[in-house]
Amino acid sequence: AVRRDRLNDWGVAESVCFPQWGINWELWLGDDLATLRANMAAWNRWAAAVWADGGGRLHPVGHVSLRGDLEWLDGQLAFLAAHDIRLAMMSTGLVDGRRLSHPDLDRAWSCFEHHGVTPTFHVGGPSLTGLVDAAWVANDDMDYMPMLSFPLHGFDAQLALSDLVLNGVLARHPRLRVAVVELLSRWLVDLSFKVDAAYSTYRRISGHRITELTERPSDYLRRQVRVSAFAAEKPGAVMDQVGPMLMFGGDFPHPEGYASPFVEYRAKTGEDLPDELAARFYGGNLAELLHS
């Protein structure tokens, strides 16, 4: 309720709230799926209480995993949807050794579509450490955020999105939307070019396509993926190249965030967005993800 009441002072109509240490449960509890699920389900119940206290102005993000039987996932998404929670954080990594586009997981994406919940990629222990062998960071005492992970920040999201696009998940699930938060955004320019180039080049080299797409891979990204941007990334300049895919994010109360998110963020960008683009960036794209 205190956070809700501060929104007026910030000039913010509605705000998304992520779990704090939940971003590392999959790092520390990865070998114990039952305990991992218990923590996620407990957070989801708490998120329902936060939503109620927020009076429709706070949007807590649920937390789910695609591991194990998908009945659990379906039940959690049904619970979140019943309490108007429309974002659910999940890992960008392999699911018990399977890529996100694996046929065994296609039902999972159908569940997100059916319940109207947006899968959300967010910075966290697995996203930062799952890409490199532990030997690369053996000298680092911060296991959930080693220094060498920062130059690779957002690479896990690029890998996951490339898989979902090039292997046809977004094409097969046109109502599916994907949110990417706090994983930078400038890489979208290169990724949009690279997925198109990969799709055409692979065909020329191999003589066939793994998945036949009716549109350019980058078109699926532009239509179905929304990415939050840090102010220093100059989001207006990025959107000039990829279209209105980006979202404002103040990251309060973290040290890289702002005490007055909206005012300080706009000042930091130094950009004056056109009215239509500003409307998408400062709320419209989030509203789309929340199915409102």
Side-chain angles (χ1 to χ4, degrees):
V2 173
R3 169 73 73 94
R4 176 201 64 204
D5 293 341
R6 290 196 67 178
L7 296 182
N8 290 335
D9 295 334
W10 291 342
V12 172
E14 301 175 35
S15 176
V16 167
C17 303
F18 281 87
Q20 172 66 359
W21 286 106
I23 63 178
N24 291 314
W25 287 334
E26 290 173 277
L27 175 66
W28 295 326
L29 300 176
D31 294 332
D32 188 347
L33 181 58
T35 304
L36 175 64
R37 283 177 165 182
N39 278 275
M40 289 180 173
W43 163 260
N44 291 339
R45 292 192 298 272
W46 173 242
V50 172
W51 192 95
D53 287 344
R57 300 187 66 187
L58 296 183
H59 299 280
V61 180
H63 199 177
V64 296
S65 171
L66 274 58
R67 294 179 58 199
D69 65 280
L70 294 179
E71 296 301 325
W72 181 88
L73 172 68
D74 187 48
Q76 289 299 307
L77 293 177
F79 174 86
L80 294 172
H83 292 83
D84 280 335
I85 298 169
R86 297 298 174 180
L87 301 173
M89 186 169 69
M90 57 166 285
S91 173
T92 54
L94 294 174
V95 180
D96 294 329
R98 295 167 296 179
R99 66 185 186 276
L100 294 179
S101 65
H102 194 282
D104 290 351
L105 300 175
D106 204 59
R107 184 188 166 207
W109 306 114
S110 295
C111 289
F112 280 106
E113 271 191 307
H114 173 72
H115 294 294
V117 177
T118 298
T120 303
F121 300 147
H122 186 275
V123 64
S127 69
L128 295 170
T129 61
L131 298 173
V132 297
D133 190 276
W136 286 105
V137 293
N139 66 323
D140 202 313
D141 60 0
M142 195 158 66
D143 62 343
Y144 63 91
M145 199 174 290
M147 180 180 65
L148 286 185
S149 69
F150 284 89
L152 299 177
H153 201 55
F155 185 80
D156 63 306
Q158 296 179 64
L159 179 59
L161 291 175
S162 296
D163 174 48
L164 294 176
V165 170
L166 292 172
N167 287 314
V169 170
L170 296 189
R172 291 193 299 274
H173 301 275
R175 292 184 292 115
L176 184 70
R177 296 294 183 267
V178 179
V180 181
V181 176
E182 206 179 339
L183 287 167
L184 299 176
S185 66
R186 295 179 70 176
W187 46 261
L188 268 174
V189 177
D190 281 343
L191 184 67
S192 297
F193 167 80
K194 287 178 179 178
V195 291
D196 288 345
Y199 185 68
S200 59
T201 301
Y202 185 88
R203 171 67 173 81
R204 292 196 298 271
I205 292 174
S206 68
H208 70 281
R209 297 197 190 284
I210 296 177
T211 301
E212 194 70 39
L213 301 176
T214 59
E215 302 178 58
R216 294 182 305 169
S218 61
D219 290 335
Y220 296 98
L221 287 176
R222 292 187 179 92
R223 182 171 58 249
Q224 294 173 244
V225 177
R226 298 293 178 261
V227 181
S228 74
F230 288 101
E233 295 185 276
K234 303 300 180 185
V238 175
M239 289 188 288
D240 284 342
Q241 300 179 75
V242 299
M245 298 176 61
L246 302 189
M247 304 180 291
F248 152 71
D251 203 28
F252 174 89
H254 288 171
E256 68 274 20
Y258 306 101
S260 181
F262 182 55
V263 173
E264 292 184 51
Y265 186 101
R266 294 191 72 175
K268 181 73 171 180
T269 66
E271 297 175 315
D272 187 17
L273 300 179
D275 290 345
E276 183 177 351
L277 187 59
R280 291 282 298 273
F281 181 72
Y282 288 110
N285 284 337
L286 176 59
E288 177 185 321
L289 295 180
L290 295 172
H291 301 272
S292 58

